[in-house]
């Protein structure tokens, strides 16, 4: 037992307590008896838009249908980013094993992508990475750019609202997603490399 805890320890435990308290207050759709229980299905649907399986499946489908070299290059690098995200989040979650603020069971899709623990929030990291990727590589009008950022924020918030993640899990997910985007930009596959990989399929 530590009789004289350090200032860092006290500060960390205080921040952790605030995080848990605020996350539970925001978990308004966590159960059927909560205040926003009627909106639970809609909030879960927002969360699903940030899930890895639909994004990977959609990217592969677009890649198969793409007929331009530039399009295939962007889609191959997006696929790399999505696979990197799933592996990184799964590894970190398995290592840290933090539970969410509520006793909620992961969905079948969560088990398929190994997104069963709370830290970091995989949906948030994916939403941040995808939105930053699109903002950098697609020519979008200002309203669409704003909507993309708003979508990423809503995906992260939805995960707190249904009680699957703490606020810090989501914030960490956003930071991780941005770092993954930067890494993919550093190791960006050229059009020739992408063509070689596609032909190998």
């Amino acid at each position: 037992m530590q009789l004289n805890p350090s200032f860092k320890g006290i500060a960390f435990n205080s921040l952790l307590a605030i995080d848990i308290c605020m996350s539970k207050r925001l978990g308004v759709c966590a159960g059927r008896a909560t205040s926003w229980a009627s909106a639970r299905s809609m909030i879960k649907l927002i969360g699903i838009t940030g899930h890895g399986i639909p994004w990977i499946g959609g990217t592969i489908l677009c890649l198969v249908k793409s007929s331009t070299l530039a399009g295939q290059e962007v889609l191959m690098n997006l696929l790399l980013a999505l696979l990197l995200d799933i592996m990184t989040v799964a590894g970190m979650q398995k290592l840290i094993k933090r539970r969410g603020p509520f006793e909620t069971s992961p969905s079948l899709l969560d088990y398929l992508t190994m997104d069963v623990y709370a830290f970091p929030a995989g949906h948030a990291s994916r939403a941040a990475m995808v939105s930053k990727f699109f903002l950098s590589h697609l020519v979008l009008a200002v309203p669409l750019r704003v909507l993309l950022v708003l979508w990423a924020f809503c995906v992260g918030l939805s995960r707190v609202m249904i009680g699957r993640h703490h606020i810090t899990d989501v914030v960490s997910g956003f930071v991780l997603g941005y770092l993954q985007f930067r890494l993919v930009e550093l190791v960006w596959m050229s059009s020739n490399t992408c063509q070689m990989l596609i032909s190998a399929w």
Side-chain angles (χ1 to χ4, degrees):
M1 187 170 120
Q2 195 172 5
L3 296 175
N4 190 17
S6 66
F7 174 75
K8 282 183 183 178
I10 292 170
F12 179 75
N13 288 332
S14 298
L15 288 173
L16 199 59
I18 291 167
D19 179 37
I20 292 168
C21 179
M22 292 299 295
S23 300
K24 287 197 172 188
R25 280 177 179 257
L26 283 172
V28 290
C29 300
R32 309 213 181 277
T34 51
S35 56
W36 285 31
S38 59
R40 183 175 166 80
S41 297
M42 186 185 70
I43 300 298
K44 283 183 88 171
L45 187 61
I46 293 169
I48 287 172
T49 65
H51 206 286
I53 297 291
W55 274 105
I56 288 175
T59 303
I60 291 172
L61 183 64
C62 290
L63 190 56
V64 168
K65 292 188 174 290
S66 178
S67 58
T68 64
L69 292 177
Q72 289 171 352
E73 180 183 342
V74 170
L75 287 165
M76 277 299 290
N77 282 284
L78 177 59
L79 185 60
L80 169 69
L82 290 166
L83 293 173
L84 172 68
D85 175 72
I86 285 179
M87 289 187 296
T88 306
V89 169
M92 289 179 72
Q93 285 189 357
K94 196 77 175 167
L95 188 68
I96 297 166
K97 294 185 177 179
R98 186 185 192 191
R99 297 285 179 187
F102 294 90
E103 290 297 322
T104 55
S105 300
S107 67
L108 177 62
L109 285 175
D110 292 330
Y111 280 112
L112 286 173
T113 53
M114 299 167 285
D115 188 13
V116 292
Y117 292 104
F119 184 91
H123 290 65
S125 71
R126 203 163 300 115
M129 185 270 296
V130 166
S131 62
K132 182 64 180 152
F133 191 96
F134 284 173
L135 288 170
S136 297
H137 296 286
L138 297 181
V139 179
L140 300 170
V142 172
L144 285 176
R145 295 174 77 84
V146 171
L147 278 175
L148 200 54
V149 173
L150 191 60
W151 164 75
F153 174 77
C154 287
V155 168
L157 181 61
S158 73
R159 303 302 286 170
V160 178
M161 289 177 73
I162 64 165
R164 282 281 283 118
H165 294 282
H166 300 88
I167 295 166
T168 50
D169 301 333
V170 170
V171 171
S172 300
F174 286 150
V175 172
L176 179 62
Y178 177 77
L179 293 175
Q180 288 172 150
F181 164 77
R182 297 301 305 165
L183 178 60
V184 169
E185 290 290 293
L186 284 172
V187 297
W188 186 267
M189 293 186 291
S190 67
S191 183
N192 290 337
T193 306
C194 292
Q195 288 307 303
M196 193 170 62
L197 289 171
I198 291 167
S199 61
W201 285 3

